[in-house]
Amino acid sequence: MSRALRHVVCALSGGVDSAVAALLLRRRGYQVTGVFMKNWDLLDEHGACTGDEDCEDAYRVCKMLDIPFHQVSYVKEYWHEVFSNLITEYEMGRTPNPDIMCNKNIKFKYLLQFAVEMLGADAMATGHYARTSQDDDEVFQRKSIRSTEEFFPKDAVKLLQAADPRKDQTFFLSQISQHALRRTIFPLGELRKNVVKEMAAEAGFHHILKRKESMGICFIGERNFENFILEAPGTSHPALYRNSLQTDPVHWIAQDPPLELLRDRAMQCSFRFQHQMPLVHCQVTLNPDNTVWVALANPVRAPTPGQFAVLYKDNVCLGSGKIMELGPSMYTEEANEKAKLAKPRRLI
């Protein structure tokens, strides 16, 4: 099969990163189709539909690259599989991460299915800053593999951190399936953000370079959730710090836990529960039900149930589990230690 006949569907958000991803795919000689996902169906708080502007920007990129453009709506799926879960988690006092769930349940499930089954694509691409352990040729060899096929750990594709550690987005990809990863290309994985912007300028994508970079929830833009998203910024009270936590059953990107963890029931690795927080060294203990207990080398501020504990080994994102329980706070541990020291000793 010649490279020109290899068909890649590129998810376009209307932003710089996905636009340059499509540009790079075109330069590699692939047949590229741009697809914009509509996941939200309401006007914003000011009466404007920002999704329409994003869609128009994505369409202009496709016209400039002379590639087909499609828009797909997953409003119902997003509501039931992402947003309803977000509300439920908040009602239970947890702090969910809708971006991780959007990637798992919408982009790397429904969009990938649309790309392969409806558009006949050989692979899908996104503008995420991430890498995998396979090259493009290996991706295209996956076309005949069914989603129900089992993979051996030694054959599993690894999710690798991006070359630019400041832009690495593997955190948001930590729940995607092995099947999806084997069919996905990340064209920006080796690039730094400044280079991506330079490429966008050279390609004439000035209409998106002028826009403020979106920090909104996955493909629905910026929404006002301040009524039920509360933080405790600017404080370092020891009651906020924890050095241990337990997750629900972990989603391992390789499908199975690392062999070291299966063998020893414990493993040294790294942890984060927020996208840009520094990695923290930890020991993970595997429980019989595939939940894990994470013991941190240094306490971290304000982990909360509902957030995802994302695990790394070297530069590989292993997967993630939802935080369900927290160990005692540093305040509690300090108080217990003081109580022990203050307890009078009995004379013998």
Side-chain angles (χ1 to χ4, degrees):
M1 181 186 297
S2 67
R3 180 168 289 191
L5 296 178
R6 291 171 172 170
H7 184 194
V8 182
V9 163
C10 186
L12 295 176
S13 65
V16 172
D17 295 332
S18 60
V20 172
L23 171 67
L24 291 172
L25 293 169
R26 280 286 278 153
R27 288 181 177 177
R28 294 178 191 176
Y30 300 139
Q31 175 190 345
V32 183
T33 298
V35 177
F36 178 85
M37 291 195 311
K38 181 181 181 182
N39 293 338
W40 199 251
D41 203 24
L42 296 175
L43 301 179
D44 68 14
E45 290 72 26
H46 303 289
C49 186
T50 56
D52 290 343
E53 184 180 353
D54 294 336
C55 184
E56 178 62 27
D57 286 341
Y59 173 73
R60 287 182 63 184
V61 168
C62 289
K63 292 291 288 184
M64 296 174 71
L65 295 178
D66 192 26
I67 62 176
F69 173 80
H70 292 268
Q71 179 181 353
V72 291
S73 176
Y74 297 122
V75 172
K76 180 177 68 174
E77 293 83 354
Y78 187 92
W79 181 269
H80 289 296
E81 299 188 35
V82 179
F83 194 74
S84 293
N85 174 263
L86 180 148
I87 300 299
T88 300
E89 289 286 289
Y90 276 122
E91 290 176 341
M92 296 176 67
R94 299 173 181 167
T95 306
N97 190 306
D99 287 307
I100 290 179
M101 298 310 297
C102 177
N103 281 325
K104 176 182 181 178
N105 293 331
I106 309 298
K107 189 181 299 180
F108 289 90
K109 185 170 74 173
Y110 291 112
L111 182 60
L112 177 61
Q113 183 178 0
F114 174 79
V116 173
E117 297 182 5
M118 301 302 295
L119 300 182
D122 300 297
M124 186 176 79
T126 73
H128 286 101
Y129 287 83
R131 297 179 291 180
T132 72
S133 59
Q134 64 181 356
D135 58 31
D136 289 5
D137 287 336
E138 292 176 295
V139 176
F140 294 116
Q141 293 171 8
R142 311 293 185 187
K143 186 174 178 60
S144 61
I145 296 178
R146 300 199 308 265
S147 61
T148 55
E149 182 173 341
E150 293 295 327
F151 305 107
F152 295 103
K154 61 183 176 65
D155 188 44
V157 175
K158 297 176 182 178
L159 176 62
L160 309 178
Q161 291 182 278
D164 186 348
R166 293 173 299 178
K167 293 299 296 182
D168 174 60
Q169 293 177 311
T170 53
F171 178 87
F172 299 115
L173 303 171
S174 61
Q175 283 273 315
I176 70 172
S177 69
Q178 175 68 196
H179 167 70
L181 191 62
R182 293 165 77 92
R183 300 294 297 275
T184 302
I185 298 172
F186 300 115
L188 307 187
E190 301 290 344
L191 302 178
R192 295 188 176 274
K193 182 71 175 189
N194 63 317
V195 175
V196 170
K197 288 184 176 180
E198 290 172 2
M199 296 179 71
E202 292 172 357
F205 297 154
H206 302 295
H207 64 292
I208 51 179
L209 281 169
K210 294 177 182 178
R211 296 183 58 182
K212 181 181 178 181
E213 187 169 0
S214 174
M215 298 300 290
I217 293 177
C218 178
F219 274 66
I220 70 170
E222 297 187 36
R223 312 300 307 174
N224 184 3
F225 296 122
E226 63 185 4
N227 290 333
F228 56 96
I229 300 179
L230 300 176
E231 296 183 11
T235 180
S236 57
H237 194 280
L240 293 175
Y241 285 82
R242 314 280 177 145
N243 61 10
S244 62
L245 53 91
Q246 185 170 356
T247 74
D248 68 356
V250 171
H251 169 81
W252 301 104
I253 290 176
Q255 293 194 315
D256 292 320
L259 295 178
E260 177 186 353
L261 187 57
L262 284 174
R263 182 188 68 233
D264 302 332
R265 313 306 294 180
M267 179 182 71
Q268 301 293 320
C269 61
S270 297
F271 154 92
R272 64 164 50 115
F273 68 93
Q274 292 176 335
H275 165 41
Q276 293 185 324
M277 72 172 283
L279 288 172
V280 178
H281 186 71
C282 69
Q283 176 170 293
V284 171
T285 302
L286 182 65
N287 300 317
D289 58 358
N290 200 35
T291 64
V292 300
W293 186 258
V294 182
L296 304 172
N298 300 301
V300 294
R301 180 185 178 277
T304 59
Q307 294 172 307
F308 282 90
V310 183
L311 303 175
Y312 293 83
K313 184 75 170 180
D314 299 324
N315 70 331
V316 179
C317 178
L318 301 174
S320 63
K322 187 184 298 183
I323 299 174
M324 301 304 291
E325 296 184 23
L326 300 175
S329 69
M330 294 297 97
Y331 178 81
T332 299
E333 291 191 354
E334 291 173 4
N336 290 340
E337 189 63 28
K338 290 179 181 178
K340 289 180 182 179
L341 295 175
K343 187 176 181 180
R345 297 180 180 181
R346 300 177 67 180
L347 297 176
I348 300 177

